[in-house]
Amino acid sequence: NLQIAVPTPEGPAKYSPHTLMRDDVFEDVDDGRGTAFGTQTHEFAEQYVLEGDVEPSNDDERHIKSFLDSLDGELRVEEDASLPLTVDGEQVTISGIVDLVHIRPDTIEIIDFKTVLGRHAEDEYRKQLSVYYHVLNEWFPDREVTAGIFYTAEAVRVEIDPLSKADLVDILAEEQGLETSTAE
């Protein structure tokens, strides 16, 4: 559920967090359950948060329901997040959709639901969550922001250590074949 916008000459270039991610970690993985399953699972989470009256139809959805029920703050789903960066003197924006934002008086938790079986892509997900981390850090400067993955199959939450904006710029430049200056 990340959008990729084709850059237009006028205005900043737009990218999705997936632009930062290496595709090869997803190759040779034959235990995936498909995008339709992932979409259904995310839609369940969104509907459960917004309406509350939806019954889980599988273990992943039951895990999400239990996890959501354990949270005691305000829950926001499918939040648009855009991070402006300067890459090689060019303004670019990385935009995506945060699955879940858990808002508490002193903390903000970013949760990304992953339906994959296994953790082979965790370093790549870290890039995606780092984008969201920096956006929410700006939205909530007075609160501690954390980012994590909730693996729906195992009902396991994994804390992610976000990359710096400078690291994201370097990764994006490398992916786009741009030169970066190390002067920040």
Side-chain angles (χ1 to χ4, degrees), residues 98-132:
V98 184
D99 290 344
L100 180 69
V101 181
H102 178 213
I103 302 170
R104 302 180 70 219
D106 300 320
T107 60
I108 303 296
E109 282 183 296
I110 299 162
I111 303 293
D112 200 60
F113 296 117
K114 296 296 181 192
T115 57
V116 295
L117 303 172
R119 306 218 182 133
H120 51 279
E122 210 158 276
D123 283 346
E124 301 309 305
Y125 297 146
R126 179 181 181 206
K127 297 171 188 176
Q128 175 188 6
L129 283 152
S130 296
V131 171
Y132 302 157

Coordinates of all heavy atoms in Angstrom, one line a residue, residues 98-132:
V98 N 1.2 4.7 6.5 CA 1.6 4.0 7.8 C 0.4 3.2 8.1 O -0.8 3.7 8.2 CB 1.9 5.1 8.9 CG1 2.3 4.4 10.2 CG2 2.9 6.1 8.4
D99 N 0.6 1.9 8.4 CA -0.5 1.0 8.7 C -1.2 1.4 10.0 O -2.4 1.5 10.0 CB 0.0 -0.5 8.9 CG 0.5 -1.1 7.6 OD1 0.1 -0.6 6.5 OD2 1.2 -2.1 7.6
L100 N -0.4 1.7 11.0 CA -1.0 2.0 12.3 C -0.1 3.0 13.1 O 1.1 2.8 13.2 CB -1.2 0.7 13.2 CG -1.8 0.8 14.6 CD1 -3.3 1.2 14.5 CD2 -1.6 -0.4 15.4
V101 N -0.8 4.0 13.6 CA -0.1 4.9 14.5 C -0.8 4.8 15.9 O -2.1 5.0 16.0 CB -0.2 6.4 14.0 CG1 0.5 7.3 15.0 CG2 0.4 6.5 12.6
H102 N -0.1 4.5 16.9 CA -0.6 4.3 18.3 C -0.2 5.6 19.1 O 1.0 5.7 19.4 CB -0.1 3.0 18.9 CG -0.5 2.8 20.3 ND1 0.3 2.1 21.2 CD2 -1.7 3.1 20.9 CE1 -0.4 2.1 22.4 NE2 -1.6 2.6 22.2
I103 N -1.1 6.4 19.4 CA -0.8 7.7 20.0 C -1.1 7.6 21.5 O -2.3 7.3 21.9 CB -1.7 8.8 19.4 CG1 -1.4 8.9 17.9 CG2 -1.4 10.2 20.1 CD1 -2.3 9.8 17.1
R104 N -0.1 7.9 22.3 CA -0.2 7.9 23.8 C 0.3 9.3 24.2 O 1.0 10.0 23.5 CB 0.5 6.8 24.4 CG 0.0 5.4 23.8 CD 0.7 4.2 24.4 NE 0.3 4.1 25.8 CZ 1.1 3.7 26.8 NH1 2.4 3.4 26.5 NH2 0.7 3.6 28.0
P105 N 0.0 9.7 25.5 CA 0.4 11.0 26.0 C 1.9 11.3 25.8 O 2.3 12.4 25.4 CB 0.1 11.0 27.4 CG -1.0 10.0 27.6 CD -0.7 8.9 26.5
D106 N 2.8 10.3 26.0 CA 4.3 10.6 25.9 C 4.9 9.9 24.7 O 6.1 10.2 24.4 CB 5.0 10.2 27.2 CG 4.4 10.9 28.4 OD1 4.2 12.1 28.3 OD2 4.2 10.2 29.4
T107 N 4.2 9.0 24.1 CA 4.9 8.2 23.0 C 4.0 8.0 21.8 O 2.8 8.1 21.9 CB 5.2 6.8 23.5 OG1 4.0 6.1 23.9 CG2 6.2 6.8 24.7
I108 N 4.6 7.8 20.7 CA 4.0 7.5 19.4 C 4.6 6.2 18.9 O 5.8 6.2 18.8 CB 4.2 8.6 18.4 CG1 3.8 10.0 18.9 CG2 3.6 8.3 17.0 CD1 2.3 10.2 19.1
E109 N 3.8 5.2 18.6 CA 4.3 4.0 18.1 C 3.8 3.8 16.6 O 2.6 4.0 16.4 CB 3.7 2.8 18.8 CG 4.3 2.5 20.2 CD 3.7 1.2 20.8 OE1 2.5 1.2 21.0 OE2 4.5 0.2 20.9
I110 N 4.8 3.6 15.8 CA 4.5 3.3 14.4 C 4.5 1.7 14.2 O 5.5 1.1 14.6 CB 5.5 3.9 13.4 CG1 5.6 5.4 13.6 CG2 5.2 3.4 12.0 CD1 6.8 6.0 13.0
I111 N 3.4 1.2 13.7 CA 3.4 -0.3 13.6 C 3.1 -0.6 12.1 O 2.1 0.0 11.5 CB 2.2 -0.9 14.4 CG1 2.4 -0.6 15.9 CG2 2.2 -2.4 14.2 CD1 3.6 -1.2 16.5
D112 N 3.9 -1.5 11.5 CA 3.7 -1.9 10.2 C 3.3 -3.4 10.2 O 4.1 -4.2 10.8 CB 4.9 -1.7 9.3 CG 4.6 -1.6 7.8 OD1 3.8 -0.8 7.4 OD2 5.2 -2.4 7.1
F113 N 2.2 -3.7 9.7 CA 1.8 -5.1 9.6 C 2.4 -5.8 8.5 O 2.4 -5.4 7.3 CB 0.3 -5.3 9.5 CG -0.5 -4.7 10.7 CD1 -1.4 -3.6 10.5 CD2 -0.4 -5.2 11.9 CE1 -2.1 -3.1 11.6 CE2 -1.1 -4.7 13.0 CZ -1.9 -3.6 12.8
K114 N 3.1 -7.0 8.7 CA 3.7 -7.8 7.7 C 3.1 -9.2 7.8 O 3.1 -9.8 8.8 CB 5.2 -7.8 7.9 CG 5.9 -6.5 7.7 CD 5.8 -5.9 6.3 CE 6.5 -4.6 6.2 NZ 6.1 -3.9 5.0
T115 N 2.6 -9.7 6.6 CA 2.0 -11.0 6.6 C 3.0 -12.1 6.1 O 2.6 -13.2 5.9 CB 0.8 -11.0 5.6 OG1 1.2 -10.6 4.3 CG2 -0.3 -10.1 6.2
V116 N 4.2 -11.7 5.8 CA 5.2 -12.6 5.3 C 5.6 -13.7 6.4 O 5.4 -13.4 7.6 CB 6.5 -11.9 4.9 CG1 6.3 -11.0 3.7 CG2 7.2 -11.2 6.1
L117 N 6.0 -14.8 5.9 CA 6.4 -15.9 6.8 C 8.0 -15.8 6.8 O 8.6 -16.1 5.8 CB 6.0 -17.2 6.3 CG 4.4 -17.4 6.1 CD1 4.1 -18.7 5.4 CD2 3.7 -17.2 7.4
G118 N 8.5 -15.4 7.9 CA 10.0 -15.3 8.0 C 10.4 -13.8 8.0 O 9.6 -12.9 7.8
R119 N 11.7 -13.6 8.3 CA 12.1 -12.2 8.6 C 13.3 -11.9 7.6 O 14.1 -11.0 7.9 CB 12.7 -12.1 10.0 CG 11.6 -12.6 11.0 CD 11.7 -11.7 12.2 NE 10.7 -12.2 13.2 CZ 10.9 -12.4 14.4 NH1 12.1 -12.2 14.9 NH2 10.0 -12.9 15.2
H120 N 13.3 -12.5 6.4 CA 14.4 -12.3 5.5 C 14.5 -10.8 5.0 O 15.5 -10.4 4.5 CB 14.2 -13.2 4.3 CG 12.8 -13.1 3.7 ND1 11.7 -13.8 4.2 CD2 12.3 -12.4 2.7 CE1 10.7 -13.5 3.5 NE2 11.0 -12.7 2.6
A121 N 13.4 -10.1 5.1 CA 13.4 -8.7 4.5 C 13.4 -7.6 5.6 O 13.2 -6.4 5.3 CB 12.2 -8.5 3.6
E122 N 13.7 -8.0 6.8 CA 13.6 -7.0 7.9 C 14.5 -5.8 7.7 O 14.1 -4.6 8.0 CB 14.0 -7.7 9.2 CG 13.3 -7.0 10.4 CD 13.3 -8.0 11.6 OE1 12.4 -8.8 11.6 OE2 14.1 -7.9 12.5
D123 N 15.7 -5.9 7.1 CA 16.6 -4.7 6.8 C 15.9 -3.8 5.8 O 16.0 -2.6 5.9 CB 17.9 -5.2 6.3 CG 18.8 -5.7 7.4 OD1 18.5 -5.4 8.6 OD2 19.9 -6.3 7.1
E124 N 15.2 -4.4 4.9 CA 14.5 -3.6 3.9 C 13.3 -2.9 4.5 O 13.0 -1.7 4.2 CB 14.1 -4.4 2.7 CG 15.2 -5.1 2.0 CD 16.4 -4.2 1.6 OE1 16.1 -3.2 0.9 OE2 17.5 -4.5 2.1
Y125 N 12.5 -3.6 5.3 CA 11.4 -2.9 6.0 C 11.9 -1.8 6.9 O 11.2 -0.8 7.1 CB 10.7 -4.0 6.9 CG 10.0 -5.1 6.1 CD1 9.9 -6.4 6.7 CD2 9.5 -4.9 4.8 CE1 9.4 -7.4 6.0 CE2 8.9 -5.9 4.1 CZ 8.8 -7.2 4.7 OH 8.3 -8.2 4.0
R126 N 13.1 -1.9 7.4 CA 13.7 -0.9 8.3 C 13.8 0.4 7.5 O 13.5 1.5 8.1 CB 15.1 -1.3 8.8 CG 15.8 -0.3 9.6 CD 17.2 -0.8 10.0 NE 17.8 0.2 10.8 CZ 19.1 0.3 10.9 NH1 19.9 -0.5 10.2 NH2 19.7 1.2 11.7
K127 N 14.1 0.4 6.2 CA 14.1 1.6 5.4 C 12.8 2.2 5.3 O 12.6 3.4 5.5 CB 14.7 1.2 4.0 CG 16.1 0.7 4.0 CD 16.5 0.2 2.6 CE 17.8 -0.6 2.6 NZ 18.1 -1.2 1.3
Q128 N 11.8 1.4 5.1 CA 10.4 1.9 5.0 C 10.0 2.6 6.3 O 9.4 3.7 6.3 CB 9.5 0.7 4.6 CG 8.0 1.1 4.6 CD 7.1 -0.2 4.4 OE1 7.6 -1.3 4.4 NE2 5.8 0.0 4.3
L129 N 10.2 1.9 7.4 CA 9.8 2.4 8.7 C 10.6 3.6 9.1 O 10.1 4.5 9.8 CB 9.9 1.3 9.7 CG 8.7 0.3 9.6 CD1 9.1 -1.1 10.1 CD2 7.5 0.8 10.4
S130 N 11.8 3.7 8.6 CA 12.6 4.9 8.9 C 12.0 6.2 8.3 O 12.0 7.2 8.9 CB 14.0 4.7 8.4 OG 14.7 3.6 9.1
V131 N 11.4 6.0 7.1 CA 10.7 7.1 6.5 C 9.6 7.6 7.4 O 9.5 8.8 7.7 CB 10.2 6.8 5.1 CG1 9.3 7.8 4.5 CG2 11.4 6.5 4.1
Y132 N 8.8 6.6 7.8 CA 7.6 7.0 8.6 C 8.1 7.6 10.0 O 7.5 8.5 10.5 CB 6.8 5.7 8.9 CG 6.3 5.0 7.6 CD1 5.9 3.7 7.6 CD2 6.1 5.7 6.4 CE1 5.4 3.1 6.5 CE2 5.6 5.1 5.3 CZ 5.3 3.8 5.3 OH 4.8 3.2 4.2

